[in-house]
C-alpha cells in the first residue's frame, strides 16, 4: 500500500481539502504529517505502508571545496509489519520488552515487571502490560494515556476513563490488541460492551499477577520502590474494588510494633501471631512516634502481641474496608471493650463493683465530655486513657470541618481507668471519704486532659492545663528542699558597698548567725 503527496496526486488532494470546512486541513497534505499519522494509527497493520518522502544526499563538487545536498523524492516504509505482542513470548528478550516500553511510553527507566499474554475463549486478545519504575506527576488523573488499544493492529485510542482498568490501577501501562471489537469503536461502545468487560477483568488479574511477582522477588528493593510510588493506589483499591480484596490484601504493607523500621505484609503478620491470638490488632496514629507511645499498646505489648501501625491517612480506611484477612478480624485497639482472649469474668465483676462509685463520681465531674467511665482493658502502667466507641478515631480526621459531628464524637468517648494504678486507688478512696475535695476534683480534670493528649487529642484550653500542672507541682514541691537549706542572712542594699576592708567584708558575709540574733 502506497500513498503520499506526489506531483501527480497534488491537484485532486488539494481539491478535497478545499471543499472541507476546516481551514487548516492543508496540513494533512504535508509528507511529515502523513508519516506521523501512519506511524501512530497504522504502524502495526499487516500490510506494509509506504509514504512519499523527500530525501537528500551530500555531493561534493570536483574541486572538493564545496558540498551540495541534492534532494529527491522516494517511497519509504513507514510501518512495522510484525508488532512485538504478536510474537511468541519465548522469542522476545527482556531487552526488547524494555526497549518497546521506553519507546512507546517515552520512558528512560526499565519497567519493574512486564507480562506478555494471549487470552482465548469467548474473547480473544493479545496484550503486553508493564509496571513502571517511577510515578509520574499526572498519575492522579485517570486519563493518563497509559493503555493503547488496537483493533486488528490499528490504533484506536489511548484516552480511557476506567473502561479497561479501574482508576486505582491507572499506573499500569501497556498495549491491548483485539480482533473482536469494531474498528469504529466509540466511548459508548467501550462502556457498554460485554467484550470490554471481560477484557477488563482479565487485564486486572494479569496486573495483580505482575505486582505479586515483584513482591515475591528476591530483590526486595524492587517492591520497596513499587510501594513507595504506588502503594496508596492499592489502598484506594481496598475502598473501590471489593471483588478484588483477596488480590489486593497480600500486597499491602505496614509498620508494626515489632517492625518499626521495615514494612511487613499481612502474611508475615499472620505467620508471627501467637497461638492464643485470634485477631489482627492495629492502631491508627499520625506518626510512628505517636503509635509507639500510645497507652493503648500496654497490655498487648505485655502479651507480646504484634500491633500494626497505621500512620497514613488511607491505612485505616483500607483496613476497615477489608474487615478481615485469612479469617482473622482486624481489631482497632483504641476502641472500647478490647478482648485479648484472657478475660476473667468473675474478677472483672468484682473490680467493677469495687470501683462503681468511683466511676460514677468521675463521670459526674466530667459531665458530657465523655459517654461513660469504665474499668480499662487496655492499660497496665498508665492511670487512664480515652477510647472510642464504635465510630473509632477515624471520625477525627473526617469531621474536622463539621463542628456538630466533632462535638458528637467527643461525647462518645469512653474514659477508662486502671484500677491497679496508685492514682486511681487514691481517687477510689477519695470518692468515698472526700468526694468534694477540691484537690481530688482537680486531679480528675488533670487526668482527663492528660488522657486527651496521650490518646491523640488536643485539650480545649491548653493554657488552663498548664496552669493545673503548675499548681499541682507547686503543691507537691512546696517546701520540699527549702526547709533543709541553711538560712543565709541577706545584706541590705544600702550596705551593698560594704566596708572598705576586704577582710571585714568577708567576715560579715560568711560568719553564721547565732541564736538570739547576735553575732
Amino acid at each position: 500500500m502506497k500513498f503520499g503527496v506526489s506531483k501527480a496526486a497534488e491537484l485532486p488532494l488539494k481539491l478535497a481539502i478545499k471543499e472541507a470546512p476546516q481551514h487548516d486541513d492543508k496540513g494533512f497534505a504535508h509528507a511529515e504529517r502523513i508519516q506521523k499519522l501512519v506511524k501512530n494509527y497504522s504502524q502495526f497493520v499487516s500490510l506494509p505502508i509506504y509514504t512519499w518522502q523527500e530525501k537528500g544526499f551530500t555531493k561534493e563538487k570536483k574541486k572538493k571545496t564545496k558540498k551540495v545536498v541534492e534532494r529527491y523524492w522516494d517511497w519509504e516504509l513507514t510501518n512495522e509489519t510484525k508488532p512485538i505482542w504478536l510474537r511468541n513470548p519465548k522469542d522476545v528478550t527482556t531487552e526488547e520488552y524494555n526497549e518497546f516500553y521506553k519507546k512507546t511510553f517515552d520512558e528512560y527507566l526499565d519497567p519493574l515487571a512486564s507480562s506478555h499474554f494471549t487470552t482465548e475463549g469467548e474473547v480473544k486478545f493479545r496484550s503486553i502490560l508493564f509496571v513502571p519504575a517511577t510515578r509520574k506527576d499526572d498519575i492522579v488523573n485517570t486519563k493518563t494515556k497509559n493503555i493503547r488499544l488496537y483493533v486488528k493492529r490499528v490504533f484506536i485510542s489511548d484516552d480511557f476513563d476506567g473502561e479497561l482498568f479501574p482508576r486505582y490501577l491507572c499506573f499500569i501501562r501497556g498495549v491491548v490488541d483485539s480482533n473482536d471489537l469494531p474498528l469504529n469503536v466509540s466511548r459508548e461502545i467501550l462502556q457498554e460492551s460485554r467484550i470490554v468487560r471481560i477484557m477488563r477483568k482479565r487485564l486486572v488479574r494479569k496486573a495483580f499477577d505482575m505486582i505479586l511477582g515483584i513482591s515475591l522477588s528476591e530483590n526486595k528493593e524492587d517492591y520497596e520502590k513499587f510501594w513507595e510510588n504506588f502503594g496508596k493506589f492499592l489502598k484506594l483499591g481496598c475502598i473501590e474494588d471489593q471483588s478484588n480484596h483477596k488480590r489486593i490484601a497480600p500486597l499491602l504493607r505496614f509498620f508494626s510494633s515489632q517492625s518499626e523500621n521495615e514494612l511487613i505484609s499481612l502474611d508475615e503478620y499472620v505467620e508471627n501471631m501467637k497461638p492464643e491470638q485470634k485477631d489482627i490488632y492495629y492502631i491508627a496514629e499520625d506518626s510512628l512516634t505517636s503509635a509507639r507511645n500510645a497507652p493503648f499498646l500496654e497490655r498487648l505489648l505485655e502479651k507480646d502481641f504484634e500491633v500494626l501501625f497505621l500512620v497514613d491517612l488511607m491505612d485505616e480506611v483500607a483496613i476497615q474496608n477489608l474487615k478481615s484477612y485469612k479469617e482473622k478480624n482486624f481489631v482497632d485497639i483504641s476502641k472500647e471493650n478490647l478482648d485479648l482472649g484472657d478475660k476473667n469474668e468473675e474478677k472483672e465483676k468484682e473490680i467493677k463493683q469495687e470501683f462503681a462509685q468511683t466511676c460514677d463520681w468521675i463521670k459526674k465531674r466530667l459531665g458530657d465530655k465523655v459517654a461513660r467511665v469504665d474499668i480499662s482493658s487496655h492499660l497496665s502502667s498508665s492511670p487512664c486513657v480515652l477510647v472510642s466507641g464504635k465510630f473509632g478515631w477515624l471520625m477525627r480526621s473526617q469531621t474536622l470541618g463539621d463542628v456538630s459531628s466533632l462535638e458528637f464524637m467527643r461525647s462518645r468517648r469512653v474514659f477508662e481507668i486502671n484500677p491497679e494504678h496508685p492514682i486511681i486507688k487514691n481517687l477510689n478512696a477519695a470518692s468515698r471519704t472526700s468526694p468534694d475535695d477540691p484537690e481530688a476534683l482537680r486531679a480528675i480534670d488533670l487526668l482527663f486532659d492528660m488522657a486527651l493528649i496521650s490518646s491523640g487529642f488536643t485539650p480545649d484550653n491548653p493554657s488552663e492545663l498548664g496552669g493545673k500542672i503548675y499548681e499541682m507541682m507547686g503543691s507537691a514541691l512546696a517546701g520540699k528542699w527549702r526547709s533543709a537549706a541553711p538560712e543565709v542572712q541577706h545584706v541590705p542594699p544600702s550596705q551593698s558597698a560594704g566596708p572598705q576592708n576586704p577582710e571585714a567584708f568577708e567576715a560579715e558575709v560568711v560568719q553564721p548567725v547565732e541564736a538570739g540574733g547576735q553575732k
Side-chain angles (χ1 to χ4, degrees):
M1 179 186 296
K2 295 183 179 181
F3 62 89
V5 186
S6 64
K7 293 294 183 181
E10 187 175 3
L11 182 58
L13 187 59
K14 283 185 176 179
L15 288 173
I17 293 173
K18 190 174 182 180
E19 293 174 0
Q22 300 294 332
H23 297 292
D24 59 349
D25 281 348
K26 289 185 178 181
F28 288 99
H30 294 160
E32 292 181 359
R33 182 71 179 274
I34 292 175
Q35 186 182 47
K36 183 177 180 181
L37 290 172
V38 170
K39 284 186 174 181
N40 190 41
Y41 290 96
S42 303
Q43 183 179 9
F44 301 112
V45 297
S46 56
L47 295 174
I49 300 177
Y50 292 83
T51 55
W52 188 248
Q53 298 291 325
E54 184 181 19
K55 301 183 179 181
F57 65 92
T58 303
K59 182 179 180 181
E60 293 185 2
K61 289 192 173 182
K62 293 181 179 180
K63 295 183 180 181
K64 298 182 180 181
T65 57
K66 187 176 181 181
K67 295 182 180 181
V68 178
V69 178
E70 292 195 2
R71 300 193 174 277
Y72 66 97
W73 288 77
D74 197 4
W75 294 106
E76 181 180 289
L77 180 65
T78 302
N79 66 322
E80 298 178 11
T81 57
K82 187 74 171 181
I84 189 173
W85 60 83
L86 294 184
R87 295 166 57 186
N88 189 326
K90 296 180 180 179
D91 300 331
V92 185
T93 65
T94 301
E95 289 73 21
E96 288 178 302
Y97 283 127
N98 293 346
E99 187 61 29
F100 173 77
Y101 166 77
K102 289 188 282 190
K103 180 180 178 181
T104 304
F105 299 102
D106 193 24
E107 286 288 341
Y108 63 93
L109 292 177
D110 293 339
L112 290 177
S114 63
S115 179
H116 183 183
F117 59 95
T118 301
T119 63
E120 303 287 349
E122 54 184 332
V123 174
K124 180 179 180 180
F125 66 93
R126 298 174 184 268
S127 178
I128 302 180
L129 301 179
F130 300 93
V131 176
T134 58
R135 183 183 72 224
K136 288 190 174 181
D137 293 338
D138 63 352
I139 201 166
V140 293
N141 181 3
T142 55
K143 297 181 180 181
T144 52
K145 299 186 181 297
N146 284 344
I147 301 297
R148 295 176 62 85
L149 174 64
Y150 292 81
V151 174
K152 300 179 179 66
R153 301 194 199 179
V154 177
F155 174 64
I156 301 300
S157 177
D158 60 0
D159 184 14
F160 299 104
D161 189 16
E163 288 85 5
L164 292 178
F165 273 97
R167 68 170 183 161
Y168 71 91
L169 290 177
C170 62
F171 58 88
I172 297 293
R173 298 176 191 171
V175 295
V176 179
D177 188 5
S178 170
N179 291 334
D180 297 326
L181 291 171
L183 283 171
N184 62 341
V185 61
S186 64
R187 172 59 56 77
E188 289 73 20
I189 292 177
L190 287 175
Q191 291 174 341
E192 299 174 3
S193 171
R194 183 183 66 89
I195 295 173
V196 173
R197 289 196 296 270
I198 296 173
M199 289 172 62
R200 171 190 167 112
K201 189 174 182 179
R202 295 181 180 176
L203 288 169
V204 168
R205 289 181 180 178
K206 288 294 183 179
F208 280 124
D209 289 343
M210 275 195 303
I211 300 172
L212 182 62
I214 301 173
S215 70
L216 299 176
S217 171
E218 294 181 357
N219 187 356
K220 291 186 177 181
E221 291 183 359
D222 282 349
Y223 198 73
E224 289 174 0
K225 291 178 183 177
F226 170 83
W227 184 255
E228 181 181 355
N229 286 304
F230 308 113
K232 69 177 183 179
F233 293 95
L234 295 186
K235 297 173 191 177
L236 182 62
C238 294
I239 305 169
E240 297 186 342
D241 192 356
Q242 185 177 356
S243 63
N244 278 304
H245 276 180
K246 290 184 178 180
R247 293 184 174 88
I248 299 173
L251 304 173
L252 301 176
R253 296 293 183 269
F254 305 97
F255 291 106
S256 79
S257 58
Q258 298 180 11
S259 181
E260 297 179 12
N261 299 318
E262 186 175 350
L263 293 164
I264 65 166
S265 66
L266 293 177
D267 284 324
E268 290 173 309
Y269 181 98
V270 172
E271 186 178 346
N272 294 333
M273 287 177 65
K274 301 299 177 183
E276 68 273 21
Q277 185 178 345
K278 298 179 180 180
D279 301 311
I280 299 175
Y281 300 109
Y282 72 88
I283 182 171
E285 291 286 347
D286 55 5
S287 70
L288 283 174
T289 301
S290 298
R292 188 186 305 117
N293 296 305
F296 308 107
L297 269 69
E298 291 178 0
R299 286 203 53 215
L300 288 104
L301 296 182
E302 275 190 352
K303 298 177 69 67
D304 200 26
F305 285 174
E306 188 171 15
V307 180
L308 296 176
F309 290 165
L310 310 187
V311 294
D312 181 82
L313 287 176
M314 293 185 65
D315 285 346
E316 187 178 9
V317 187
I319 287 294
Q320 290 189 347
N321 276 271
L322 288 179
K323 297 181 181 178
S324 65
Y325 183 71
K326 291 188 174 179
E327 300 180 352
K328 308 288 185 182
N329 293 325
F330 290 106
V331 173
D332 182 353
I333 66 170
S334 70
K335 289 188 178 182
E336 60 180 324
N337 300 323
L338 178 65
D339 184 3
L340 300 181
D342 58 352
K343 282 191 174 183
N344 185 330
E345 294 184 0
E346 186 175 342
K347 182 178 179 181
E348 287 185 3
K349 185 177 180 180
E350 292 177 0
I351 294 175
K352 286 184 177 180
Q353 288 178 349
E354 180 183 352
F355 285 84
Q357 183 175 336
T358 304
C359 291
D360 293 341
W361 177 56
I362 295 175
K363 174 63 175 77
K364 182 180 179 181
R365 175 64 178 179
L366 297 179
D368 58 5
K369 292 180 180 179
V370 297
R372 64 182 183 277
V373 179
D374 282 344
I375 302 300
S376 180
S377 57
H378 299 81
L379 303 174
S380 62
S381 59
S382 297
C384 58
V385 70
L386 272 173
V387 300
S388 66
K390 65 178 182 178
F391 295 102
W393 293 143
L394 176 63
M395 254 184 104
R396 173 177 51 180
S397 60
Q398 293 178 333
T399 60
L400 289 180
D402 186 344
V403 177
S404 60
S405 297
L406 187 58
E407 288 299 326
F408 171 77
M409 182 190 70
R410 286 174 176 170
S411 66
R412 296 301 93 199
R413 296 178 299 208
V414 178
F415 189 64
E416 289 190 354
I417 59 175
N418 178 8
E420 301 298 325
H421 197 280
I423 293 178
I424 302 303
K425 288 182 177 180
N426 284 329
L427 288 178
N428 187 38
S431 68
R432 291 174 167 80
T433 61
S434 308
D436 299 323
D437 189 304
E439 289 190 10
L441 297 176
R442 282 198 299 269
I444 293 175
D445 296 340
L446 185 57
L447 281 175
F448 175 76
D449 286 337
M450 298 307 295
L452 275 175
I453 296 174
S454 64
S455 300
F457 289 87
T458 302
D460 294 335
N461 193 334
S463 61
E464 183 180 344
L465 170 60
K468 294 175 185 175
I469 294 175
Y470 298 147
E471 184 180 353
M472 295 287 286
M473 288 178 65
S475 300
L477 302 179
K480 186 171 183 179
W481 298 287
R482 189 170 53 192
S483 59
E487 185 177 352
V488 179
Q489 180 178 3
H490 294 280
V491 179
S494 60
Q495 301 176 9
S496 60
Q500 298 299 319
N501 186 343
E503 294 182 358
F505 177 79
E506 184 178 357
E508 183 178 350
V509 174
V510 176
Q511 191 173 12
V513 179
E514 297 179 355
Q518 296 179 358
K519 295 182 182 179

